[in-house]
């Protein structure tokens, strides 16, 4: 089953199945049993407004539907060029697509509230994570852009770093619940061979969403780590979250 992936260094930033009938089947980090897959399957059946920090190949658009709006924030213009030239998510998705070029946090800081139903933080899979996206000040910005009951979805899949203690602390400060969904697909052939093992964290005030069957059956509630010092724009400690 042929696939095209966007790779930078040792990290894959999404991919697309090349069979014309399967181009919009979720793959890589966004499969149906991943945190993202379970989240989009559990959201209310209405048009959704989704903000995404980190474009990659645009693979998250496999979950886009007619009436949805996906607004991507991407710092690297070459990534935007590759996503448009080598993949078809941006050109063929039934969803409305917006791409904002620039640092995601700074772009959000300048914008009026976007009232996102979901903010997908998809920028933490590499070996050098953008720590300014995981601070108390950054969280305040995200909360301004979330619609009531909206969800922050953190891509926590990383070979070197465990961002769960940081995210759990940020969630607790805002009175939100944080749920980790770990997924290890077992398929060894066919289209599902290209599904990746993932760790993704959902943060929300919507307890009813977290109690939905698809999320509850796989989710693990995260508690803030006692004594863990919250990251700020003036303080972080990467050593404490190394795997």
């Amino acid at each position: 089953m042929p696939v095209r992936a966007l790779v930078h260094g040792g990290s894959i930033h999404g991919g697309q199945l090349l069979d014309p009938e399967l181009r919009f089947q979720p793959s890589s980090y966004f499969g149906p049993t991943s945190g993202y897959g379970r989240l989009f399957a559990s959201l209310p059946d209405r048009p959704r407004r989704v903000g995404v920090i980190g474009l990659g190949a645009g693979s998250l658009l496999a979950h886009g539907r007619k009436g949805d709006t996906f607004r991507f924030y991407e710092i690297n213009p070459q990534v935007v060029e590759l996503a448009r030239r080598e993949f078809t998510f941006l050109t063929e998705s039934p969803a409305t697509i917006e791409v904002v070029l620039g640092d995601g946090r700074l772009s959000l800081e300048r914008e009026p509230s976007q009232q996102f139903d979901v903010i997908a933080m998809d920028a933490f899979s590499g070996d050098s994570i953008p720590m300014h996206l995981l601070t108390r000040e950054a969280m305040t910005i995200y909360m301004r852009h979330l619609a009531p009951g909206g969800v922050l979805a953190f891509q926590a899949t990383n070979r070197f770093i465990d961002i769960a203690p940081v995210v759990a602390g940020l969630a607790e400060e805002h009175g939100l619940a944080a749920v980790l969904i770990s997924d290890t697909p077992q398929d060894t052939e066919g289209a599902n061979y290209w599904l990746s093992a993932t760790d993704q964290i959902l943060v929300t005030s919507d307890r009813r969403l977290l109690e939905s069957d698809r999320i509850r059956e796989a989710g693990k509630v995260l508690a803030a780590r006692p004594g863990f010092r919250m990251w700020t724009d003036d303080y972080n400690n990467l050593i404490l979250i190394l795997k």
Side-chain angles (χ1 to χ4, degrees):
M1 180 67 61
V3 68
R4 178 172 293 144
L6 181 60
V7 181
H8 182 256
S11 300
I12 297 175
H13 296 278
Q16 184 174 32
L17 299 166
L18 297 183
D19 185 317
E21 299 299 319
L22 300 174
R23 284 200 303 266
F24 273 80
Q25 178 168 313
S27 63
S28 64
Y29 301 107
F30 308 104
T33 53
S34 70
Y36 281 126
R38 292 176 183 274
L39 169 61
F40 281 99
S42 303
L43 290 172
D45 187 18
R46 56 177 172 76
R48 303 166 294 195
R49 185 163 176 80
V50 182
V52 188
I53 295 184
L55 170 63
S59 303
L60 192 57
L61 282 166
H63 295 288
R65 310 174 309 175
K66 186 176 181 180
D68 294 345
T69 297
F70 278 65
R71 185 174 177 85
F72 290 91
Y73 299 85
E74 174 53 52
I75 195 169
N76 189 339
Q78 288 184 308
V79 170
V80 179
E81 178 189 350
L82 286 169
R84 286 178 170 152
R85 188 180 73 214
E86 302 293 342
F87 305 90
T88 68
F89 294 113
L90 292 179
T91 56
E92 295 183 351
S93 173
T96 298
I97 299 164
E98 302 166 352
V99 178
V100 178
L101 189 59
D103 180 272
R105 173 178 164 177
L106 294 179
S107 296
L108 287 169
E109 196 167 6
R110 290 189 293 261
E111 293 180 345
S113 176
Q114 295 294 314
Q115 291 294 292
F116 289 123
D117 299 295
V118 176
I119 298 179
M121 309 293 297
D122 203 41
F124 304 113
S125 58
D127 56 0
S128 178
I129 67 170
M131 290 181 284
H132 71 295
L133 297 178
L134 285 170
T135 66
R136 175 181 285 140
E137 294 85 351
M139 186 68 172
T140 299
I141 295 170
Y142 307 148
M143 294 302 295
R144 181 169 66 84
H145 284 282
L146 270 187
V151 183
L152 282 168
F154 290 84
Q155 177 68 267
T157 309
N158 194 293
R159 292 172 293 171
F160 311 105
I161 297 164
D162 177 16
I163 68 170
V166 185
V167 175
L170 293 172
E172 183 182 66
E173 277 202 338
H174 287 269
L176 308 175
V179 171
L180 170 67
I181 297 178
S182 297
D183 182 43
T184 305
Q186 301 298 320
D187 295 84
T188 58
E189 59 185 11
N192 287 341
Y193 172 80
W194 299 107
L195 294 173
S196 302
T198 55
D199 295 307
Q200 290 156 1
I201 303 171
L202 308 180
V203 175
T204 184
S205 63
D206 189 347
R207 306 285 175 151
R208 185 168 53 184
L209 176 70
L210 296 180
E211 285 300 313
S212 63
D213 292 343
R214 296 278 291 153
I215 294 176
R216 188 183 68 248
E217 67 185 8
K220 173 187 175 184
V221 176
L222 295 178
R225 182 185 294 179
F228 187 87
R229 183 177 173 184
M230 188 55 51
W231 286 12
T232 68
D233 287 349
D234 298 317
Y235 168 83
N236 62 70
N237 191 332
L238 199 58
I239 300 298
L240 293 180
I241 63 170
L242 290 176
K243 289 185 176 179

